[in-house]
Amino acid sequence: MKKWRCLVCGYIHTGEEPPDKCPVCGADKSMFEEVVETAEATDTAAAQDAPPEAREPPEDPRQVDLGSPPDNTAGKIYHLLVGQMLKHHAHPISTHFPNGVLPISFLFIVLVLISGSTSLSTAAFCNTIMVLLTLPLVIFSGYVEWQHRYKGIMTNTFKLKIACAGIVTAGTLLMAIWWIAAPNILHTASVGRIMFIFISLVTLAAAGVAGLIGGKLVFRD
């Protein structure tokens, strides 16, 4: 059976023809190339017997060559920043903050509804502010990853991920402003409280979907 590699995310498909859409990133059939194995690569026994340091890692189209930096100072600084962010996986690292804190914030909101605790409400508010402060880095590093590691291709997968990022940003910002304007929003039975909880739940769900898509892109096999 032939093997086909997605040129966007590196997913490997086995079959006589490439899939119509990449199941990982959603890239079109035209973005697949056939993987041609050399005699050395097909020698499984030799590959297994070779020491780990002698084995060549599989090619990954997500590896990025930024080329030479521009001549101007601002261009050099941006080139260096982008290179370091890609090298040290700034986006996967930064997304752990909102994806880890948002569930805790929502849990605190639920506990406030049950117990009426003012301190838990304050803790939930502080967590929401922390998420809001980390989002600029998350969004910028995600843009860098998309442009340089995934060629800036606009498939439905990336459209959904971008939409989720927008929902998380808008939802978190709205919650923070609402909390500042009405600190007792969780302590007063009203339609506003129901809407606030709904926004919190939608924000959490969007973060979860974005994390799921990110996981598929990283662990694409």
Side-chain angles (χ1 to χ4, degrees):
M1 296 290 286
K2 296 180 180 179
K3 289 186 177 181
W4 306 85
R5 179 189 290 113
C6 176
L7 295 175
V8 177
C9 69
Y11 169 76
I12 300 295
H13 172 79
T14 302
E16 289 301 319
E17 297 289 337
D20 293 332
K21 296 285 184 182
C22 176
V24 174
C25 70
D28 186 72
K29 183 177 183 178
S30 61
M31 296 301 294
F32 278 81
E33 68 172 3
E34 185 177 355
V35 179
V36 180
E37 297 184 351
T38 62
E40 291 82 2
T42 56
D43 190 353
T44 307
Q48 290 178 343
D49 293 339
E53 61 273 12
R55 301 173 189 167
E56 295 186 4
E59 294 183 15
D60 189 341
R62 298 176 303 169
Q63 297 300 318
V64 178
D65 182 8
L66 296 177
S68 301
D71 293 333
N72 59 82
T73 303
K76 289 180 179 179
I77 294 174
Y78 182 80
H79 185 275
L80 177 63
L81 176 63
V82 168
Q84 291 300 309
M85 291 178 74
L86 292 170
K87 178 181 179 181
H88 298 291
H89 308 288
H91 185 60
I93 292 174
S94 61
T95 54
H96 279 73
F97 290 99
N99 285 356
V101 174
L102 274 175
I104 299 300
S105 179
F106 184 76
L107 175 61
F108 284 163
I109 290 175
V110 173
L111 292 177
V112 170
L113 298 177
I114 296 173
S115 66
S117 171
T118 303
S119 59
L120 287 176
S121 179
T122 302
F125 170 73
C126 291
N127 283 337
T128 301
I129 295 299
M130 178 183 175
V131 171
L132 193 60
L133 293 176
T134 62
L135 283 176
L137 174 60
V138 174
I139 293 172
F140 177 65
S141 61
Y143 173 79
V144 168
E145 286 271 342
W146 174 52
Q147 284 292 312
H148 296 282
R149 208 181 294 281
Y150 298 103
K151 303 174 177 60
I153 189 170
M154 184 60 78
T155 66
N156 289 334
T157 298
F158 290 106
K159 288 179 181 178
L160 180 57
K161 200 170 191 301
I162 292 170
C164 287
I167 292 172
V168 172
T169 303
T172 308
L173 180 60
L174 180 58
M175 288 171 60
I177 295 174
W178 200 337
W179 233 322
I180 293 172
N184 295 320
I185 182 64
L186 294 177
H187 300 278
T188 305
S190 63
V191 176
R193 182 171 73 172
I194 295 174
M195 292 178 60
F196 185 90
I197 296 170
F198 176 75
I199 293 172
S200 177
L201 184 59
V202 170
T203 302
L204 176 61
V209 172
L212 177 63
I213 296 172
K216 287 181 64 178
L217 291 169
V218 173
F219 304 104
R220 60 196 183 283
D221 296 332

